[in-house]
């Protein structure tokens, strides 16, 4: 059963769009939107995939790392993977991006789609990292997954 996403997506207003597009150096080609409620900014293409993302099947063995960008995501991912794999330093020589997959695809610094194919290629337990807020993640995530790491820092300290 596919569930509807309980949020809306609103296009950026003129002033917001001008600031965002000038900061990232491109025009309105990606069509930015914000979530309502929440105000999380993303591309319209990602908003079109929201139902797929919201209904992504989570497994009881999944390990999710949920962080702000630039807040130690790779550090936490490496620790979680090593602990979950009995400190397998030989296996850790494989690229972290191959061992711990990003849930969402990022293009030009903006979230644009779900990485379902890459995630489905992982053998259990799947190590999945994301920068999305919980309200955009599968609703059964906290009830189903074996481990869920939330790493907080003060956003003002992130550079």
């Amino acid at each position: 059963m596919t569930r509807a996403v309980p949020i809306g997506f609103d296009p950026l207003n003129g002033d917001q769009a001008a600031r965002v597009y000038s900061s990232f150096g491109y025009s309105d080609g990606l069509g930015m939107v914000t979530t309502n409620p929440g105000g999380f900014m993303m591309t319209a293409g990602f908003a079109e995939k929201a139902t797929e993302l919201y209904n992504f099947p989570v497994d009881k063995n999944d390990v999710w790392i949920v962080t702000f960008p630039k807040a130690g995501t790779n550090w936490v991912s490496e620790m979680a993977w090593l602990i979950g794999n009995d400190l397998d330093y030989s296996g850790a020589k494989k690229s972290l991006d191959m061992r711990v997959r990003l849930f969402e695809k990022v293009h030009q610094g903006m979230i644009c789609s779900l990485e379902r194919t890459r995630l489905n290629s992982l053998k259990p337990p799947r190590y999945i990292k994301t920068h999305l807020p919980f309200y955009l993640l599968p609703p059964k995530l906290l009830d189903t997954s074996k481990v869920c790491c939330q790493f907080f820092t003060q956003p003002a300290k992130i550079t």
Side-chain angles (χ1 to χ4, degrees), residues 43 45-57 64 102-106 111-120 128-130 132 136-138:
T43 63
F46 182 83
E48 293 167 7
K49 303 254 185 206
T51 299
E52 181 183 1
L53 171 126
Y54 194 72
N55 289 287
F56 181 79
W64 286 71
L102 186 63
F103 186 53
E104 65 275 5
K105 183 176 181 181
V106 179
I111 298 166
C112 58
S113 69
L114 173 65
E115 284 288 292
R116 179 183 288 275
T117 304
R118 292 181 73 192
L119 292 170
N120 287 338
I128 303 169
K129 59 186 172 182
T130 184
L132 296 175
L136 289 176
L137 296 174

Side-chain angles (χ1 to χ4, degrees), residues 64-80:
W64 286 71
I65 297 103
V66 183
T67 66
F68 285 109
K70 304 291 183 192
T73 308
N74 287 339
W75 179 72
V76 173
S77 299
E78 191 71 71
M79 284 193 317

Side-chain angles (χ1 to χ4, degrees), residues 27-151:
S27 66
D28 191 21
L30 294 176
M32 302 302 296
V33 297
T34 58
T35 60
N36 180 13
F40 193 78
M41 186 173 26
M42 62 188 61
T43 63
F46 182 83
E48 293 167 7
K49 303 254 185 206
T51 299
E52 181 183 1
L53 171 126
Y54 194 72
N55 289 287
F56 181 79
V58 294
D59 185 85
K60 65 179 182 157
N61 296 311
D62 287 348
V63 177
W64 286 71
I65 297 103
V66 183
T67 66
F68 285 109
K70 304 291 183 192
T73 308
N74 287 339
W75 179 72
V76 173
S77 299
E78 191 71 71
M79 284 193 317
W81 190 91
L82 280 167
I83 291 168
N85 287 278
D86 298 320
L87 302 178
D88 177 10
Y89 291 104
S90 177
K93 290 179 181 175
K94 188 176 180 183
S95 168
L96 181 62
D97 290 334
M98 297 303 290
R99 295 178 284 128
V100 181
R101 297 292 188 159
L102 186 63
F103 186 53
E104 65 275 5
K105 183 176 181 181
V106 179
H107 175 71
Q108 292 184 335
M110 295 293 171
I111 298 166
C112 58
S113 69
L114 173 65
E115 284 288 292
R116 179 183 288 275
T117 304
R118 292 181 73 192
L119 292 170
N120 287 338
S121 70
L122 295 175
K123 294 179 181 152
R126 298 182 300 187
Y127 288 80
I128 303 169
K129 59 186 172 182
T130 184
H131 299 310
L132 296 175
F134 273 105
Y135 66 86
L136 289 176
L137 296 174
K140 295 192 177 215
L141 176 65
L142 293 174
D143 296 331
T144 305
S145 292
K146 183 189 277 185
V147 178
C148 188
C149 303
Q150 172 79 48
F151 188 70

